[in-house]
Amino acid sequence: KTTLLRILAGLEEPDAGVVRRTPSTLQIGYLPQTSVERGGSGGEIARARLGEFLRASYGVFLLDEPTNDLDFDGLAWLERSLARDAAKP
C-alpha cells in the first residue's frame, strides 16, 4: 500500500502502465508513516505532523497509516479536522 501511495503521489514510477493526474497541476500531498522520535510520545509527534500537513493547500491528501500512533483523543481530533476541512467550500 505504501508503494501505491508513493506512485499516486508521483514519488515512484509504476512497473507497468501509466498514472495520469488530472489536472496535471493538481497538488498532491503525501504524508509517510510516522515514526517515534525523541522529544515526545508517538501520539504527540503524529498529531503535530498531521496538523502541519493538513494546513497545507493540497488538492489531494495521501496519508500512509496516519492513525498508527494516535490514541482515542488523537483519533477524535483527526476526525474533527478532516470533517471541518471537508465542509469548507
Side-chain angles (χ1 to χ4, degrees):
K1 135 188 94 210
T2 296
T3 301
L4 176 59
L5 290 175
R6 289 181 56 78
I7 289 170
L8 293 173
L11 301 172
E12 289 186 30
E13 292 297 321
D15 292 337
V18 176
V19 174
R20 289 192 182 97
R21 291 166 194 85
T22 305
S24 61
T25 57
L26 181 66
Q27 294 291 315
I28 299 174
Y30 171 67
L31 182 67
Q33 291 184 29
T34 59
S35 59
V36 176
E37 301 169 15
R38 297 172 66 148
S41 73
E44 291 168 338
I45 293 166
R47 193 183 289 200
R49 287 186 70 199
L50 280 165
E52 183 178 326
F53 181 73
L54 293 174
R55 283 190 295 274
S57 59
Y58 297 116
V60 173
F61 292 84
L62 301 175
L63 294 87
D64 194 349
E65 302 207 22
T67 61
N68 277 356
D69 296 312
L70 297 179
D71 58 12
F72 289 118
D73 288 339
L75 290 171
W77 167 83
L78 178 59
E79 289 173 357
R80 284 190 309 273
S81 297
L82 293 173
R84 182 176 52 247
D85 288 345
K88 290 180 183 175

